Amino acid sequence: MTTIQHWIGGGTTPGTGTRRSAVYHPATGAQQHEVVLAEAADVDAAVTAARTAFASWSQASLSKRAKVLFAFRELVNANVDRLAEIVSDEHGKVLSDAAGEVQRGLEVVEFACGIPHLLKGEYSDQASTGVDVFSFREPLGVVAGITPFNFPVMVPMWMHPVAIACGNTFVLKPSERDPSASNYVAELWRRAGLPDGVFNVVHGDKVAVDAILDHPDVAAVSFVGSTPIARYLHGRATATGKRVQALGGAKNHAIVLPDADLEFAARHLTAAAFGSAGERCMAISAAVAVGGAGDPLLDLLNRRAAEIVVGPGRDPKSEMGPVVTAAAKTRIESLITAGEQQGAKVTVDGRGYTVPGHEDGFFVGPTVLDGVGTGMDVYTEEIFGPVLSVVRSDSVDAAIDLINANPYGNGTAIFTGSGEAARRFQRGVRVGMIGVNVPIPVPMAYYSFGGWKDSLFGDKHVHGPEGVSFYTRGKVVTSRWPHVEHAHGASLHFPTAT
Ligand code: NAD
């Protein structure tokens, strides 16, 4: 059993703490590693390394930064398979899905390779007679990322390539449940030529997070995780004057209209509900069947859910792996039971699921519930497991109202053949990311990713233009190079353009 250490100042260190956390192999249920848990002194060591590195990295030319980014891009691309294996072994998701997550992270690195273009400022020649005005953006300093278990490569890559390209230095606190991928990424940054101390990894729990939130030398915090922690973190970090973007949980609905291709919708809905065992913030967890779509859609969903091949992530035949921990399995199964007790019909039941040869693995089978009401726990809770609730609705407008009544606003989708209904939907829902016949509308890296309402605390979405804006602050210079004939024009009244 290996001990996963911090990565501070260009190499590994066990840090000062003695606390450890178990890292499991979800498909076998066995502990495979332990990870060190940071104390405040370890966070301070990482922030100090990052602050020291900021002095020179923030002054590195755009050309030098872009060269490191391009080298990092090549290394990530060459190691997609290895990264996918590391993710699969600790998270549980199947290899093809893990490779997809690395690919979506890689796209953010590719976006950040364009940093010389992204940081171009504005220039107004002769804004006043003999006066020019121009703007540019500077990095913030040491910035931190605190990330969830469900995308151990992609979610940190929403943050660090952009932050580092902008000239900041970075401290990552990944999930303690699947920590290994972050150290592998740190090694790739080192091989790409990133100076020591620019990218650091501190492993830990609430102790490490609180030390980051309170540290006076951390200028900004990006967080992705559950809504209660996002809300807490946003309050605490903004109170100490930090810039914060805190992305929270989700309850994503997909509306299916009777005019949709129901076979197409059912296939895409099952992929969106059960891919990664439902442990995606953009997973569809509620299918809202409008009018006559209900019964035929339910039949198709039941059939497809029952066909899904569940097994260990490393088995190429598996379409869906286990959930992340034994505690997650227990929680998901008890929510299914609560749904049944509160009046929903379990039409496909994933409770008590076992995979031969992996009897101790944390498996939950695909589950479909029909007749789900908005007061049931299975509807109000973010289940974060392979459970799809079918909710019936009378009209598109009633379905839109249902979505808008939900406290979350991360992603949503509509399946329809009607452009008019799709347009009404996209303009009517109070949600950040919307799909039209696309169930998981994760924006490309050159757009920004973020939800509304309880799915995001803070103003800026991640990556894309808003990511660059988040990790920089602007300066505007008003300049004049006076000739002798202009020198006598000084006046005490407020300066106006002449
Ligand atoms: P989590 O909130 O439990 O943990 C996220 C991070 O916060 C981890 O690094 C963890 O160590 C830390 N943390 C946990 N408890 C803490 C506490 N009490 N104080 C301070 N820090 C604490 O989330 P998770 O279970 O790892 O991930 C799943 C959640 O993340 C789901 O709610 C999912 O919707 C959400 N998520 C959201 C997005 C998005 O883009 N909105 C993306 C991925 C995941």
Side-chain angles (χ1 to χ4, degrees), residues 147-150 173 176-177 209 224-226 248-249 281 382 449:
T147 53
F149 81 86
N150 66 321
K173 206 303 284 171
E176 62 275 40
R177 284 178 256 175
V209 171
V224 176
S226 59
C281 65
E382 182 187 26
F449 179 109

Side-chain angles (χ1 to χ4, degrees), residues 170-316:
F170 201 88
V171 176
L172 172 64
K173 206 303 284 171
S175 171
E176 62 275 40
R177 284 178 256 175
D178 45 15
S180 294
S182 296
N183 285 30
Y184 194 84
V185 167
E187 175 63 32
L188 296 183
W189 270 123
R190 191 189 63 73
R191 285 170 56 196
L194 191 71
D196 292 348
V198 177
F199 180 74
N200 306 275
V201 181
V202 172
H203 295 291
D205 54 10
K206 178 172 169 54
V207 173
V209 171
D210 287 349
I212 289 170
L213 304 184
D214 295 344
H215 202 296
D217 291 334
V218 174
V221 179
S222 300
F223 172 87
V224 176
S226 59
T227 287
I229 311 297
R231 185 183 278 118
Y232 157 77
L233 180 139
H234 182 261
R236 186 156 173 167
T238 52
T240 60
K242 298 184 196 335
R243 194 177 277 194
V244 183
Q245 51 181 185
L247 281 67
K251 191 82 188 176
N252 305 314
H253 297 61
I255 298 184
V256 182
L257 300 194
D259 66 7
D261 177 336
L262 293 185
E263 178 72 39
F264 176 90
R267 286 193 170 273
H268 282 273
L269 280 180
T270 43
F274 305 125
S276 201
E279 294 171 319
R280 292 179 181 148
C281 65
M282 292 291 277
I284 293 293
S285 54
V288 186
V290 175
D295 289 342
L297 180 71
L298 182 68
D299 274 356
L300 289 162
L301 291 174
N302 287 343
R303 215 171 319 143
R304 178 66 192 120
E307 281 166 10
I308 290 172
V309 181
V310 181
R314 288 268 199 153
D315 183 340

Side-chain angles (χ1 to χ4, degrees), residues 69-149:
L69 261 296
F70 271 96
F72 181 61
R73 188 264 167 207
E74 290 304 300
L75 285 162
V76 174
N77 191 43
N79 288 284
V80 171
D81 291 345
R82 181 63 201 126
L83 276 163
E85 287 171 356
I86 295 170
V87 169
S88 176
D89 288 352
E90 292 185 1
H91 176 283
K93 64 178 77 173
V94 300
L95 277 177
S96 54
D97 187 36
E101 122 162 45
V102 179
Q103 175 59 33
R104 293 307 299 260
L106 185 63
E107 288 165 10
V108 181
V109 182
E110 289 165 353
F111 167 76
C113 285
I115 197 66
H117 177 73
L118 295 166
L119 283 183
K120 280 197 285 195
E122 295 169 314
Y123 193 99
S124 298
D125 172 62
Q126 194 75 340
S128 180
T129 306
V131 175
D132 304 325
V133 180
F134 60 96
S135 67
F136 60 98
R137 301 191 72 82
E138 290 189 348
L140 305 178
V142 180
V143 300
I146 298 164
T147 53
F149 81 86

